[in-house]
Amino acid sequence: MLLTGATMGLLIGGGAYASTVDEATFCGWLFNATKLVNPFFSFMDPEVAHRLAVSAAARGWVPIEKRPDPSILELEVWGRRFSNPIGLAAGFDKNAEAVEGLLGLGFGFVEVGSVTPAPQEGNPKPRIFRLPEEGAIINRCGFNSEGIVVVAKRLGAQHGKRKLETSSTTSSAGDEVVNGGKAGPGILGVNLGKNKTSEDATADYVQGVHTLSQYADYLVHVQFICSFEVSCAYSLRFRN
């Protein structure tokens, strides 16, 4: 009973104290608290840990950055205003499941994909390998994708929701300038890939541009050239 009472007292006292601090400070606490959880992911299979992280972001189970970026970090590229130059590259949210949650973490932009026209499984598992000493991973997923139709539906729904939220925020904030792209704060990029079995790579990329450009602030075309088991990648950025 004593332990229960002490625990309840700590929870009530902690909650009361947390309610008195400003939102930015509380946000900082949440981000620091995630450091306690991160070590548990190292005991999981790398792809399972990745899947859980994407699912958590998709459901809003991640901290939201409420602290504004310093104005010195702002920049404008191709008519798009970035609140900061740090972004999340393609390969994490391959199927555009967690755009809102990931932008909420404080990234200046999030790039989804690679997205292929038709669904494909990618390489056989295991295909993600940790390098603990280097603090890195090897990714050999092989363009696993749910396909352009699924991704377009998700981006369409998110696009409409973000525009609605931005419209209401802008109307209440007056003429205040908001950093962001087509749908609101945060820049969204889409990384386009081709199917492994495709006989016309150009047609695959054209399909990606026609289908997804309406939702993206920028598009990326990636071509992988493999020779002697060495993969070289290049990307071309297209202004939308």
Side-chain angles (χ1 to χ4, degrees):
M1 291 181 66
L2 182 62
L3 180 61
T4 302
T7 302
M8 292 182 64
L10 286 173
L11 290 174
I12 295 172
Y17 177 72
S19 65
T20 64
V21 302
D22 61 277
E23 194 174 48
T25 301
F26 185 67
C27 176
W29 290 351
L30 288 178
F31 275 94
N32 288 328
T34 60
K35 297 177 182 178
L36 301 175
V37 180
N38 289 340
F40 292 100
F41 285 93
S42 63
F43 296 104
M44 301 179 184
D45 173 82
E47 190 157 355
V48 172
H50 174 223
R51 183 65 248 160
L52 288 175
V54 173
S55 297
R59 290 168 171 76
W61 298 346
V62 292
I64 298 176
E65 181 58 83
K66 296 292 187 179
R67 296 163 293 185
D69 289 322
S71 59
I72 195 173
L73 295 180
E74 293 183 7
L75 69 159
E76 185 171 330
V77 181
W78 298 339
R80 304 300 186 204
R81 296 191 60 181
F82 293 73
S83 62
N84 71 71
I86 308 300
L88 181 63
F92 184 81
D93 187 7
K94 291 177 174 288
N95 298 300
E97 300 173 70
V99 173
E100 291 182 75
L102 295 173
L103 284 172
L105 287 172
F107 288 111
F109 62 96
V110 168
E111 188 175 305
V112 301
S114 293
V115 185
T116 57
Q120 63 181 26
E121 292 294 327
N123 293 329
K125 299 178 182 180
R127 54 195 180 183
I128 301 179
F129 309 91
R130 289 191 178 98
L131 301 176
E133 294 182 358
E134 288 76 14
I137 62 170
I138 295 175
N139 174 357
R140 294 174 180 164
C141 289
F143 278 16
N144 52 312
S145 174
E146 293 182 8
I148 201 169
V149 173
V150 172
V151 172
K153 288 181 179 179
R154 287 194 182 121
L155 289 180
Q158 294 169 13
H159 186 84
K161 181 180 178 182
R162 290 177 64 208
K163 287 197 73 172
L164 183 62
E165 291 175 348
T166 303
S167 298
S168 60
T169 302
T170 304
S171 60
S172 61
D175 298 327
E176 182 181 354
V177 177
V178 180
N179 290 298
K182 290 181 177 180
I187 302 294
L188 172 64
V190 177
N191 190 297
L192 305 175
K194 75 177 190 68
N195 284 111
K196 286 184 177 181
T197 57
S198 176
E199 297 181 357
D200 189 346
T202 301
D204 282 6
Y205 293 125
V206 169
Q207 183 180 353
V209 171
H210 281 298
T211 306
L212 300 176
S213 61
Q214 58 187 313
Y215 309 120
D217 296 304
Y218 70 88
L219 300 173
V220 179
H221 152 109
V222 175
Q223 177 83 25
F224 281 93
I225 307 169
C226 299
S227 176
F228 301 106
E229 298 183 353
V230 177
S231 298
C232 304
Y234 69 89
S235 64
L236 301 176
R237 307 252 187 241
F238 296 91
R239 178 173 178 176
N240 181 23

